[in-house]
Amino acid sequence: LVLRFIPSRYSTLRYLSATAGLASILFISTGTFFYINSGITPVLEETIVTFYQNTTDDVKSVDHSSFSALTGKANQFIESNIGAIVMCWSIGALLFSLRIFSGWWYVKRLRREAVLLGSKWNSQVQLLAASLQIHKFIPLAESSFIHTPVVIGHLRPMILFPLGMCSGLSVEQIESIILHELIHIKRNDYLVNVIQCFMEAIYFFNPFVWMISGSIWQEREYCCDDAVVKFYGNALAYVRALATLEGARSSKS
């Protein structure tokens, strides 16, 4: 709902809003867990009933005993089926944890079988990284297992290009794509993405987690695109680079 009121050109603000929304789910649910186990839950129910009693005359006519009975039935249902509920959650969390493990194994394979590009391009990557105040060595390599450029790793990041992609793009286009991936590294997007994966595994049953996580992924790419355009000052050239890259990816697929 918040994103509907933020114009699309404010990608950074939209990204921060979506990230704050996902973080709030974690903090509020954690706080709720400790609150329920603190033994003061009946105080909350009494406060809610008192609130209803102190509002308008129409609300005073509500049968408060039915409200208490409804919450009591809900609690009774949860307590009587808590074993099945925990079992279902455990199975779902385990399956999504396996997805994280398979992704980690895939990244290890990408790094192991990647082919480093020549020193010329790697030197250019270090120059662009220095211009963004990134003080670490970031190798540039090719892989036959991917169809789009990607960054892997957080502590030891590596930029991967699809095999043969450099031969179909101009130098300026390749530099703009490298810059896009370097901005991901500068923003620590890989680490945020890993945290997202763990939250998706824990809250797999919550559709809002998936909705917000999808928004974060989308706005993250827009933030990097905007940063590249701001760095070069030529939006049309970057759009052409992305269009050429997408055309090459589609033809290979």
Side-chain angles (χ1 to χ4, degrees):
L1 183 62
V2 171
L3 294 182
R4 287 182 176 271
F5 294 95
I6 303 178
S8 59
R9 63 180 179 272
Y10 299 118
S11 57
T12 301
L13 181 58
R14 291 173 61 88
Y15 174 79
L16 292 175
S17 299
T19 305
L22 193 63
S24 68
I25 293 178
L26 176 63
F27 293 138
I28 293 174
S29 61
T30 303
T32 302
F33 173 80
F34 286 109
Y35 180 81
I36 290 176
N37 287 277
S38 64
I40 57 176
T41 308
V43 178
L44 175 63
E45 183 176 334
E46 181 180 351
T47 303
I48 294 175
V49 174
T50 304
F51 170 78
Y52 278 108
Q53 290 174 340
N54 293 332
T55 50
T56 62
D57 294 336
D58 292 337
V59 177
K60 287 182 180 180
S61 63
V62 175
D63 187 357
H64 301 292
S65 61
S66 62
F67 174 78
S68 299
L70 182 62
T71 56
K73 288 181 179 179
N75 289 333
Q76 184 180 3
F77 174 81
I78 293 175
E79 291 176 0
S80 60
N81 295 277
I82 191 65
I85 293 174
V86 173
M87 178 68 71
C88 292
W89 177 84
S90 300
I91 293 174
L94 176 62
L95 293 176
F96 282 97
S97 297
L98 291 176
R99 187 188 68 155
I100 296 175
F101 176 78
S102 63
W104 171 81
W105 178 84
Y106 179 67
V107 168
K108 296 285 286 185
R109 182 184 180 187
L110 287 178
R111 185 184 292 273
R112 183 175 61 252
E113 301 187 12
V115 179
L116 290 176
L117 290 176
S119 58
K120 175 185 175 181
W121 277 117
N122 273 283
S123 299
Q124 186 63 23
V125 170
Q126 308 319 313
L127 290 175
L128 289 173
S131 66
L132 294 175
Q133 297 182 345
I134 301 175
H135 306 294
K136 61 175 69 175
F137 177 73
I138 303 171
L140 178 65
E142 288 184 319
S143 174
S144 59
F145 297 101
I146 60 174
H147 296 289
T148 57
V150 66
V151 172
I152 59 173
H154 175 66
L155 298 177
R156 295 187 299 115
M158 171 185 284
I159 298 177
L160 291 179
F161 275 10
L163 188 65
M165 190 194 79
C166 293
S167 61
L169 299 174
S170 66
V171 174
E172 291 77 11
Q173 290 174 332
I174 294 175
E175 285 185 352
S176 65
I177 295 171
I178 291 175
L179 187 63
H180 177 103
E181 304 304 327
L182 287 173
I183 293 170
H184 276 304
I185 296 173
K186 183 177 177 62
R187 289 162 42 90
N188 297 313
D189 285 338
Y190 189 87
L191 179 61
V192 176
N193 187 54
V194 171
I195 296 174
Q196 280 182 249
C197 290
F198 277 104
M199 285 202 62
E200 289 171 357
I202 297 172
Y203 298 94
F204 67 91
F205 56 88
N206 189 336
F208 293 102
V209 168
W210 294 99
M211 292 168 58
I212 298 174
S213 185
S215 296
I216 291 175
W217 182 88
Q218 187 178 52
E219 298 302 331
R220 175 189 299 146
E221 296 301 320
Y222 292 159
C223 287
C224 294
D225 289 339
D226 291 343
V228 172
V229 171
K230 184 178 180 180
F231 185 89
Y232 274 113
N234 190 343
L236 185 58
Y238 183 58
V239 168
R240 286 173 175 166
L242 294 179
T244 303
L245 180 62
E246 179 64 18
R249 187 193 68 82
S250 300
S251 62
K252 284 188 176 182
S253 299

